[in-house]
Amino acid sequence: MHDEGFMLAALRQSRKALPECLPNPPVGCVIVDADTEEIVAEGYTRAPGKHHAEADALYQIQGKAFNFLKMYVTLEPCSFHGRTPACALAIAQDSRIHEIYVSVVDPDPRNNGQGLNILKKSGKTVYVGLCAHEVNLFINQYLLT
Ligand SMILES: [Zn+2]
Protein backbone atom coordinates (compact mmCIF):
# COMPACT_ATOMS: atom_id res chain seq x y z
CA MET A 1 0.00 0.00 0.00
CA HIS A 2 1.18 3.55 -0.68
CA ASP A 3 1.09 6.61 1.53
CA GLU A 4 -2.30 7.68 0.17
CA GLY A 5 -3.75 4.27 1.00
CA PHE A 6 -2.54 4.52 4.59
CA MET A 7 -3.97 8.02 5.02
CA LEU A 8 -7.30 6.85 3.60
CA ALA A 9 -7.19 4.01 6.16
CA ALA A 10 -6.74 6.68 8.85
CA LEU A 11 -9.71 8.57 7.37
CA ARG A 12 -11.83 5.40 7.64
CA GLN A 13 -10.81 5.13 11.31
CA SER A 14 -11.84 8.75 11.90
CA ARG A 15 -15.43 7.99 10.87
CA LYS A 16 -15.67 5.57 13.83
CA ALA A 17 -15.00 8.47 16.23
CA LEU A 18 -18.47 9.94 15.74
CA PRO A 19 -20.52 10.84 17.61
CA GLU A 20 -18.74 10.00 20.91
CA CYS A 21 -15.71 12.25 20.23
CA LEU A 22 -17.72 15.50 19.95
CA PRO A 23 -17.07 18.35 20.62
CA ASN A 24 -13.55 17.20 19.69
CA PRO A 25 -13.06 16.68 15.93
CA PRO A 26 -13.22 13.11 14.60
CA VAL A 27 -9.60 12.08 13.96
CA GLY A 28 -8.14 8.81 12.74
CA CYS A 29 -4.60 7.44 12.93
CA VAL A 30 -2.74 4.40 11.64
CA ILE A 31 0.82 3.34 12.42
CA VAL A 32 2.79 1.46 9.77
CA ASP A 33 5.91 -0.69 10.20
CA ALA A 34 8.24 0.55 7.44
CA ASP A 35 10.05 -2.81 7.35
CA THR A 36 6.91 -4.73 6.36
CA GLU A 37 4.72 -1.86 5.07
CA GLU A 38 1.92 -3.23 7.22
CA ILE A 39 -0.46 -1.41 9.55
CA VAL A 40 0.43 -2.35 13.14
CA ALA A 41 -2.04 -0.07 14.96
CA GLU A 42 -5.24 1.81 14.20
CA GLY A 43 -6.88 4.42 16.37
CA TYR A 44 -9.57 7.05 16.51
CA THR A 45 -10.57 9.79 18.91
CA ARG A 46 -12.66 8.51 21.81
CA ALA A 47 -15.03 10.40 24.10
CA PRO A 48 -13.70 13.67 25.64
CA GLY A 49 -11.08 12.91 28.31
CA LYS A 50 -10.26 9.55 26.75
CA HIS A 51 -7.63 8.75 24.11
CA HIS A 52 -7.18 10.93 21.04
CA ALA A 53 -6.57 8.97 17.83
CA GLU A 54 -2.78 9.07 18.16
CA ALA A 55 -2.80 7.91 21.80
CA ASP A 56 -5.35 5.24 20.90
CA ALA A 57 -2.99 3.84 18.24
CA LEU A 58 0.14 4.16 20.40
CA TYR A 59 -1.59 2.26 23.19
CA GLN A 60 -1.96 -0.75 20.89
CA ILE A 61 1.80 -1.06 20.33
CA GLN A 62 2.79 -0.37 23.93
CA GLY A 63 5.93 -2.35 24.83
CA LYS A 64 6.49 -3.68 21.30
CA ALA A 65 9.82 -3.17 19.52
CA PHE A 66 10.00 -1.70 16.01
CA ASN A 67 12.90 -0.27 13.97
CA PHE A 68 11.07 2.35 11.99
CA LEU A 69 7.44 3.33 12.29
CA LYS A 70 5.44 5.78 10.18
CA MET A 71 2.34 7.45 11.59
CA TYR A 72 -0.54 8.69 9.43
CA VAL A 73 -2.96 11.03 11.18
CA THR A 74 -5.82 13.01 9.65
CA LEU A 75 -5.38 16.13 11.82
CA GLU A 76 -2.27 17.79 13.28
CA PRO A 77 -1.46 16.20 16.68
CA CYS A 78 -2.39 18.45 19.61
CA SER A 79 0.40 20.43 21.29
CA PHE A 80 -1.36 21.43 24.50
CA HIS A 81 -2.43 19.56 27.61
CA GLY A 82 -6.22 19.74 27.62
CA ARG A 83 -8.34 16.96 29.08
CA THR A 84 -5.60 14.57 27.96
CA PRO A 85 -1.79 14.95 27.61
CA ALA A 86 -0.48 16.46 24.34
CA CYS A 87 -0.26 13.89 21.55
CA ALA A 88 2.59 15.72 19.81
CA LEU A 89 4.76 15.28 22.92
CA ALA A 90 3.90 11.59 23.22
CA ILE A 91 4.86 11.05 19.57
CA ALA A 92 8.01 13.18 19.89
CA GLN A 93 9.15 11.02 22.83
CA ASP A 94 8.54 7.73 21.02
CA SER A 95 11.85 6.74 19.43
CA ARG A 96 10.19 4.07 17.29
CA ILE A 97 8.34 6.68 15.22
CA HIS A 98 10.48 8.39 12.57
CA GLU A 99 8.00 9.83 10.07
CA ILE A 100 4.63 11.48 10.61
CA TYR A 101 2.18 12.18 7.80
CA VAL A 102 -0.38 14.83 8.78
CA SER A 103 -3.25 15.48 6.40
CA VAL A 104 -4.72 18.74 7.74
CA VAL A 105 -3.22 21.44 9.98
CA ASP A 106 -5.36 22.08 13.07
CA PRO A 107 -7.07 25.50 12.77
CA ASP A 108 -7.57 25.60 16.57
CA PRO A 109 -5.49 28.64 17.66
CA ARG A 110 -4.15 26.65 20.66
CA ASN A 111 -2.45 24.34 18.17
CA ASN A 112 -2.24 25.61 14.55
CA GLY A 113 1.28 24.50 13.61
CA GLN A 114 2.62 24.12 17.15
CA GLY A 115 2.07 20.37 17.10
CA LEU A 116 4.04 20.17 13.86
CA ASN A 117 6.84 22.25 15.42
CA ILE A 118 7.14 19.92 18.41
CA LEU A 119 7.49 16.95 16.07
CA LYS A 120 10.04 18.66 13.80
CA LYS A 121 12.13 19.89 16.75
CA SER A 122 12.31 16.34 18.08
CA GLY A 123 14.02 15.31 14.84
CA LYS A 124 11.08 13.56 13.20
CA THR A 125 10.34 13.93 9.51
CA VAL A 126 6.92 15.54 9.05
CA TYR A 127 4.86 15.61 5.85
CA VAL A 128 1.73 17.75 5.61
CA GLY A 129 -1.16 17.70 3.15
CA LEU A 130 -1.51 14.05 2.14
CA CYS A 131 -5.14 13.38 1.08
CA ALA A 132 -6.08 16.84 2.41
CA HIS A 133 -8.98 17.12 -0.04
CA GLU A 134 -10.62 13.90 1.13
CA VAL A 135 -9.97 14.61 4.80
CA ASN A 136 -11.18 18.21 4.58
CA LEU A 137 -14.45 17.09 3.01
CA PHE A 138 -15.13 15.01 6.10
CA ILE A 139 -13.50 16.89 8.96
CA ASN A 140 -14.43 20.49 8.07
CA GLN A 141 -17.97 19.92 9.27
CA TYR A 142 -16.66 19.19 12.77
CA LEU A 143 -13.79 21.62 13.20
CA LEU A 144 -14.62 24.62 15.36
CA THR A 145 -12.73 27.57 13.93
ZN1 LIG B 1 -4.26 14.86 20.91
Side-chain angles (χ1 to χ4, degrees):
M1 207 189 291
H2 294 291
D3 295 326
E4 289 78 8
F6 291 130
M7 187 60 85
L8 293 176
L11 178 58
R12 281 196 294 280
Q13 288 296 312
S14 73
R15 296 179 192 278
K16 297 184 186 173
L18 292 169
E20 287 81 8
C21 65
L22 297 174
N24 292 329
V27 179
C29 176
V30 302
I31 298 174
V32 173
D33 182 348
D35 292 339
T36 61
E37 286 291 307
E38 286 186 359
I39 293 174
V40 294
E42 299 174 313
Y44 58 90
T45 299
R46 307 294 171 133
K50 303 220 167 114
H51 282 162
H52 289 178
E54 304 93 315
D56 192 34
L58 284 172
Y59 182 72
Q60 292 166 31
I61 54 165
Q62 214 174 28
K64 294 185 184 171
F66 292 101
N67 291 322
F68 194 115
L69 293 176
K70 304 186 286 185
M71 175 180 276
Y72 297 77
V73 58
T74 57
L75 184 70
E76 176 185 2
C78 61
S79 59
F80 55 92
H81 197 296
R83 296 184 193 92
T84 62
C87 292
L89 290 174
I91 300 163
Q93 287 161 6
D94 195 317
S95 59
R96 300 170 298 176
I97 297 174
H98 294 264
E99 294 180 352
I100 302 104
Y101 291 77
V102 173
S103 184
V104 176
V105 176
D106 188 358
D108 186 324
R110 294 174 296 173
N111 201 19
N112 199 231
Q114 295 182 68
L116 299 177
N117 285 339
I118 289 172
L119 296 174
K120 287 176 190 165
K121 275 188 197 153
S122 73
K124 314 279 189 202
T125 305
V126 180
Y127 301 97
V128 179
L130 185 64
C131 301
H133 177 71
E134 291 88 339
V135 171
N136 270 321
L137 280 179
F138 173 64
I139 208 168
N140 268 350
Q141 317 162 53
Y142 304 101
L143 286 174
L144 304 172
T145 53

